[in-house]
Amino acid sequence: MKIAASDYDGTLFRNRTISSESVQGVHKWRAAGNKFGPVSGRDYGMLMPQLKHYGIEYDFAICNNGGIIRDKEGNVLYEGNIAGQVLKAMSEEELVRHSFHFAFSARDVTYLCHESEGSWIMREAKEWDFPIIKITESEISNLNDIHQFSLGFKKAEEAAECAAILNKKFSENIRAYPNACSVDITPLDVSKRQGLEGLMNAMKWADCEIYVIGDEVNDLPMIKAFGGYTVNTARDVIQKQARKVFSDVGAMLEYFL
């Protein structure tokens, strides 16, 4: 049995769709007795409706950059946590306040505040029917069981600068991953690499071959750890660290089937 794990945005989902080649590739991969699942920065509630819409079946889901791991029935195998006081302190940082929104990911809901023009959270929530609860900034410190704090900016450079500041100032508590114009903030011991390792242990898949593919900075922990791959639309800095570059996820699955 082989395990394939794919990033979503920019890797499986490109140009606002999932290619028919990737849909067919996932189907053939699973039909051969192998396992497939997304490893995404997105919330589970944001991701599952899209996978269903495009016809992607899966055997696991690692969401919020490893902040939460679920099996194919949606049962939670692992969930991280960022303390409310740490969330509040980060939200008060000057550059963080330039974000379009503050989105806090919990198990079955996303909490949202500080929303302004440019935010895509509510738009996608309405399009894909996932739950959002609006809160005030005064309620941030009271949040519990939050495994990811997400920000959005106009420019990728601003997101990268914000992530660098947070990683320096809050290094004992969190890890901030820049991803294009977004910043995803997880507990310190959480990454896509740890998410996959936790999944393997929980499912007793430790001896299986693992094939990972991604296209951004937050994918590098798993790409480096598992000798992973990328797509031809990834930036050069990502392509240089991947073992091989594929045209899409379907092409990788076909190559290793």
Side-chain angles (χ1 to χ4, degrees):
M1 188 175 72
K2 301 174 183 178
I3 313 298
S6 173
D7 170 54
Y8 187 68
D9 291 286
T11 303
L12 183 61
F13 182 76
R14 294 194 291 171
N15 299 316
R16 298 192 62 79
T17 191
I18 297 177
S19 70
S20 59
E21 291 79 8
S22 288
V23 174
Q24 293 167 11
V26 171
H27 178 76
K28 289 173 64 177
W29 179 263
R30 296 181 73 248
N34 302 313
K35 306 295 184 183
F36 175 84
V39 185
S40 174
R42 287 183 181 242
D43 286 9
Y44 183 80
M46 295 182 185
L47 187 58
M48 294 306 106
Q50 295 195 29
L51 295 180
K52 182 178 180 180
H53 174 79
Y54 290 108
I56 295 289
E57 296 182 338
Y58 54 90
D59 301 285
F60 59 88
I62 300 171
C63 296
N64 301 126
N65 293 290
I68 191 165
I69 306 171
R70 297 183 187 250
D71 64 17
K72 64 180 180 180
E73 284 83 27
N75 300 311
V76 175
L77 304 177
Y78 168 81
E79 184 176 13
N81 181 55
I82 306 173
Q85 293 298 331
V86 176
L87 295 171
K88 181 63 173 176
M90 289 190 291
S91 74
E92 294 172 347
E93 287 292 313
E94 181 179 358
L95 191 50
V96 170
R97 300 202 63 79
H98 292 184
S99 172
F100 296 139
H101 51 242
F102 297 164
F104 304 94
S105 303
R107 180 175 295 199
D108 296 310
V109 68
T110 298
Y111 296 97
L112 179 67
C113 66
H114 190 74
E115 187 183 22
S116 63
E117 184 179 355
S119 174
W120 56 84
I121 299 292
M122 285 304 299
R123 182 184 70 241
E124 290 216 350
K126 292 176 181 177
E127 181 178 359
W128 298 103
D129 190 28
F130 64 85
I132 295 286
I133 294 179
K134 289 195 172 184
I135 61 172
T136 64
E137 291 191 47
S138 64
E139 297 175 272
I140 293 175
S141 59
N142 296 323
L143 292 174
N144 295 308
D145 301 321
I146 300 300
H147 51 258
Q148 182 166 280
F149 175 20
S150 300
L151 309 171
F153 297 91
K154 291 181 180 179
K155 297 180 179 179
E157 294 80 6
E158 194 172 16
E161 181 183 358
C162 181
I165 290 171
L166 292 175
N167 281 328
K168 183 177 181 179
K169 189 163 185 178
F170 297 92
S171 60
E172 294 184 359
N173 302 107
I174 61 92
R175 174 65 178 166
Y177 297 96
N179 184 359
C181 293
S182 299
V183 176
D184 297 329
I185 305 158
T186 67
L188 181 62
D189 59 348
V190 164
S191 71
K192 292 188 175 185
R193 171 185 177 173
Q194 275 88 2
L196 272 168
E197 289 173 345
L199 174 75
M200 299 299 117
N201 290 332
M203 302 300 292
K204 303 188 187 309
W205 292 343
D207 295 328
C208 297
E209 298 177 33
I210 302 174
Y211 302 89
V212 304
I213 186 167
D215 78 312
E216 259 299 347
V217 172
N218 61 333
D219 299 311
L220 287 178
M222 69 174 183
I223 289 174
K224 291 178 179 179
F226 297 102
Y229 307 93
T230 191
V231 288
N232 56 13
T233 48
R235 293 177 294 142
D236 287 345
V237 67
I238 307 297
Q239 292 194 26
K240 288 178 181 178
Q241 298 188 68
R243 182 178 294 183
K244 186 176 177 64
V245 178
F246 290 97
S247 59
D248 58 22
V249 173
M252 184 195 78
L253 298 176
E254 186 73 27
Y255 186 86
F256 292 113
L257 191 61

